[in-house]
């Protein structure tokens, strides 16, 4: 028997995401006032995805509890739809995007934090909130995968959905950090290291004329295409990893349960 029921874990995780989002939005950060607001950051989009996903999980748990012992076919049908939605969001968005954000953020942070999370941000975002946005996402989604079996869609449909999300974000979100730098220096003083850009990808670049990530400003159009293609491939790989991991966990669990049910031979 589990020490903590999975329903309680989901509710606690949902509350933690709500707290992280509220604290993040409450920060008077200049980037929130620039074009695209918080929605140009993949980290913020991921937090919303995780909060919505665990909200669906909690709603599913409540619906399952309310329909337990009820013979209503309509309620049973609605519950199955809710479970299908929960599983689809987990497979296509919550797992691949969550793992991508955590792994890419910390990989680039270790290499050169100025490319992804400049020291200037330490004046606005406390360490605990940074870890709430970029660290705890991974264990939370792994806990969910371990405690609940999720039915993945067909591989072609799943990969197509992941590609659509990745391409959609790339077309939307590169932008300019100049406004952020100017406002940040006004708030924290001129002694801080100067910055040239701050995360937002193509549409915002079209509007502002500047790429989000400094690296992209030095890449030729052909290399940019290769870079964005590689990012899309990585997210698709994480989708496949989630599918394989889900099948491995629950196939193993099924074998263990079947082994316990077999009568012992004399």
């Amino acid at each position: 028997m589990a020490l903590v029921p999975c329903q309680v874990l989901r509710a606690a995780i949902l509350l933690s995401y709500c707290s992280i989002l509220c604290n993040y939005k409450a920060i008077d950060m200049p980037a929130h006032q620039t074009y695209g607001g918080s929605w140009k950051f993949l980290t913020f989009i991921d937090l919303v995805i995780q909060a919505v996903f665990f909200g669906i999980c909690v709603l599913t748990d409540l619906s399952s509890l309310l329909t337990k012992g009820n013979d209503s076919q309509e309620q049973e049908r609605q519950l199955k739809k809710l479970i299908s939605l929960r599983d689809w969001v987990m497979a296509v968005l919550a797992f691949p995007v969550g793992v991508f954000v955590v792994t890419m953020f910390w990989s680039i942070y270790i290499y050169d934090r100025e490319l992804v999370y400049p020291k200037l941000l330490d004046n606005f975002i406390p360490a605990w909130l940074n870890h709430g946005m970029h660290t705890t996402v991974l264990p939370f989604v792994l806990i969910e995968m371990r405690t609940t079996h999720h039915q993945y869609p067909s591989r072609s449909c799943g990969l197509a959905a992941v590609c659509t999300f990745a391409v959609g974000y790339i077309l939307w979100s590169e932008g300019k950090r100049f406004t952020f730098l100017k406002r940040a220096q006004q708030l924290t003083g001129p002694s801080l290291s100067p910055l040239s850009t701050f995360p937002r990808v193509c549409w915002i670049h079209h509007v502002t004329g500047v790429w989000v990530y400094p690296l992209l400003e030095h890449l030729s159009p052909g290399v940019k295409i290769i870079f964005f293609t590689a990012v899309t491939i990585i997210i698709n790989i994480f989708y496949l990893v989630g599918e394989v991991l889900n099948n491995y966990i629950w196939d193993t669990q099924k074998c263990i349960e079947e082994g316990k049910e077999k009568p012992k031979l004399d």
Side-chain angles (χ1 to χ4, degrees), residues 32-134:
H32 291 171
Q33 282 76 52
T34 56
Y35 184 80
S38 302
W39 293 98
K40 57 182 170 286
F41 304 111
L42 184 57
T43 293
F44 178 78
I45 294 174
D46 178 48
L47 287 175
V48 173
I49 289 172
Q50 302 298 330
V52 170
F53 168 66
F54 280 100
I56 294 173
C57 288
V58 171
L59 183 60
T60 302
D61 291 337
L62 291 174
S63 298
S64 180
L65 182 64
L66 292 174
T67 57
K68 191 174 183 179
N70 195 324
D71 296 331
S72 173
Q73 293 184 351
E74 177 62 23
Q75 289 184 348
E76 191 70 24
R77 187 171 64 86
Q78 295 300 327
L79 178 59
K80 288 181 178 179
K81 286 184 177 180
L82 198 56
I83 293 174
S84 296
L85 175 62
R86 179 200 66 187
D87 293 347
W88 187 90
V89 175
M90 172 66 173
V92 172
L93 295 174
F95 186 88
V97 177
V99 175
F100 177 83
V101 167
V102 174
T103 56
M104 291 300 293
F105 174 84
W106 288 112
S107 296
I108 299 174
Y109 186 97
I110 292 170
Y111 174 74
D112 183 358
R113 68 169 294 178
E114 293 298 319
L115 295 177
V116 66
Y117 194 80
K119 292 190 70 174
L120 184 63
L121 289 179
D122 292 341
N123 295 280
F124 299 93
I125 303 176
W128 71 266
L129 186 56
N130 177 34
H131 284 291
M133 297 188 296
H134 298 117

Side-chain angles (χ1 to χ4, degrees), residues 15-31:
L15 290 175
S16 71
Y17 276 123
C18 291
S19 175
I20 291 169
L21 283 167
C22 290
N23 278 277
Y24 176 74
K25 293 298 290 182
I27 296 174
D28 184 20
M29 196 162 65

Side-chain angles (χ1 to χ4, degrees), residues 28-31 120-121 123-124 177-196:
D28 184 20
M29 196 162 65
L120 184 63
L121 289 179
N123 295 280
F124 299 93
R177 285 195 300 182
F178 177 75
T179 304
F180 171 81
L181 168 65
K182 187 175 180 181
R183 176 81 185 280
Q185 288 181 330
Q186 290 174 351
L187 293 175
T188 60
S191 61
L192 295 169
S193 301
L195 302 171
S196 57

